[in-house]
Amino acid sequence: MTNLIGQGMSTAKQTTAFVVILVICFAAAGLGSVATTPNIPTWYATLAKPSWNPPNWIFGPVWTALYICMAVAAWLVWRQGGLRQARTPLTLFAVQLALNAAWSWIFFGFHMPGAAFFEILVLLTAIAATTIAFWPRSVAAGILMLPYLAWVGFASVLNFTIWRLNG
């Protein structure tokens, strides 16, 4: 049986592409954490939060898993024919990744939960569009985006609640 996924691509090329995508995802995470990390024990600690706010320690492991899933999803889409054939879904992926990093700066860096709420709605839309664009190219990629979509949906409600509690 012929493997149509990644057909004609060397293992080295596929591995390199995966590493590059993973680095891009974690670079976005790192950019966001520059704004987030120093503000958690200071500004964020002073905010009123709902009783259902997750403990701070949960965010690191959850986001790490989500970024790995996003990288695998983008790689699976890329494997279906490279950048040229996956231009639209991978462009959507890049847009949502940039919006993800921007949210951290708006919420944590600039201390603007209201503006961050409106930005996260745009992010949520971009994630949904990316998931929809990924699905026909790779069902597995679409499925891998669903936890991220769900988590950002939850984060949107949390962001809104924090904004209202502190507005």
Side-chain angles (χ1 to χ4, degrees):
M1 178 186 281
T2 304
N3 180 5
L4 297 177
I5 299 174
Q7 185 175 6
M9 291 185 209
S10 69
T11 302
K13 182 176 181 178
Q14 291 185 48
T15 302
T16 300
F18 177 71
V19 169
V20 167
I21 293 167
L22 193 62
V23 166
I24 290 168
C25 286
F26 278 97
L31 183 61
S33 73
V34 168
T36 303
T37 303
N39 282 291
I40 290 173
T42 56
W43 173 76
Y44 186 70
T46 67
L47 294 177
K49 295 176 221 47
S51 60
W52 45 269
N53 188 77
N56 290 342
W57 63 265
I58 201 79
F59 289 94
V62 167
W63 276 110
T64 299
L66 292 173
Y67 277 110
I68 291 169
C69 287
M70 289 188 313
V72 172
W75 178 71
L76 289 171
V77 168
W78 170 84
R79 283 182 72 194
Q80 295 296 326
L83 288 174
R84 193 167 294 144
Q85 289 185 16
R87 181 175 313 236
T88 298
L90 292 177
T91 298
L92 287 168
F93 182 81
V95 167
Q96 66 79 27
L97 204 57
L99 288 167
N100 185 312
W103 179 88
S104 296
W105 281 92
I106 297 166
F107 187 91
F108 285 101
F110 302 129
H111 304 168
M112 298 173 64
F117 173 67
F118 292 104
E119 195 275 355
I120 204 170
L121 294 178
V122 175
L123 170 59
L124 195 58
T125 303
I127 296 166
T130 302
T131 303
I132 291 166
F134 276 17
W135 207 279
R137 297 191 64 81
S138 168
V139 172
I143 290 169
L144 283 166
M145 293 294 287
L146 293 178
Y148 176 41
L149 185 62
W151 182 259
V152 173
F154 169 75
S156 300
V157 175
L158 180 60
N159 184 155
F160 178 80
T161 304
I162 290 172
W163 172 38
R164 301 312 300 154
L165 289 173
N166 294 279

